[in-house]
Amino acid sequence: LWMFTQFYGVPGRIANERIDSLLEAFDLQDKADAKLRTVSTGQRQKMNIIRGFATDPELIFLDEPTLGLDVTTSIAIRNYLREWVRERDGRTMMLTTHYMREAEELCDRVAIIDRGRIVAVDTPAGLKRRLGRGSSFLIETTTFDPEPIRSLTGVRGMTARPVDGHMSIRMVLDDESVIADVISSIVSSGARVIGLSKNEPTLEDAFMHLVGRGLE
């Protein structure tokens, strides 16, 4: 960590103070003298974040900083990033992420990129408003192949994930009436509806609406 601050010409005393402060912020004080090869994946990711911020940048690029990390570590990193941006005017963070919730929490403006093409740039609230009258539903079912639902008239976008032995299906519909056709399709496939709820639109819903599918 100290070596990287020297690449940027940070005076030694200031560098050490920053490093100590960041190690404390990320609960890594006990690893200050550890060899990198001896720390866990989560601790190594925290160290990479510290390395980027130890030079006190005005602009920082972060490429999926919480990818593959446990919930506790991810929350710690997101909390730090949020406070860092707010702490002083003029700071800018450029973040790439597949986690729509992360983008919604941390970003003032979001660019949605699909197959290498920017399809929309707006605030998170502005992107969600593009749903118009669309409705967002979460359906939990027994296991089945949900792909036929995607082709139903009125289904703008859908994601389906296996969760604890059942299916969790999130979809954006043109209007609420389409849900009847969706449920009919589920039942005719031999599956059973376990739970159904209507949700406030999320950034993931906006993504599905704009590109016609969920994140891969």
Side-chain angles (χ1 to χ4, degrees), residues 25 30 80-81 84 93 100-101 118 137 156-158 175 188 214:
D30 60 331
Y80 181 82
L81 297 180
W84 179 82
M93 174 177 64
M100 293 293 97
R101 183 176 178 182
I118 295 176
F137 285 88
R156 294 189 188 177
M158 182 188 80
D175 59 64
S188 65

Side-chain angles (χ1 to χ4, degrees), residues 50-117:
I50 291 171
R51 186 177 65 183
F53 286 99
T55 58
D56 192 27
E58 293 184 359
L59 168 64
I60 192 163
F61 291 82
L62 298 171
D63 184 16
E64 303 204 43
T66 61
L67 181 66
L69 299 181
D70 62 81
V71 174
T72 302
T73 303
S74 297
I75 290 173
I77 290 175
R78 285 199 297 269
N79 286 343
Y80 181 82
L81 297 180
R82 189 183 300 108
E83 291 305 314
W84 179 82
V85 170
R86 293 174 179 172
E87 190 176 54
R88 195 171 74 212
D89 290 339
R91 286 176 169 174
T92 301
M93 174 177 64
M94 294 286 290
L95 171 73
T96 62
T97 181
H98 278 82
Y99 302 140
M100 293 293 97
R101 183 176 178 182
E102 186 167 87
E104 192 164 1
E105 282 184 26
L106 297 177
C107 299
D108 298 314
R109 291 182 65 77
V110 175
I112 291 180
I113 301 175
D114 181 45
R115 306 188 191 281
R117 183 173 63 90

Side-chain angles (χ1 to χ4, degrees), residues 134-135 149-157 171-179 181-182:
S135 300
I149 295 175
R150 199 183 299 277
S151 61
L152 291 175
T153 301
V155 177
R156 294 189 188 177
M171 59 185 64
V172 177
L173 309 177
D174 282 337
D175 59 64
E176 294 183 10
S177 65
V178 180
I179 197 65
D181 294 333
V182 171

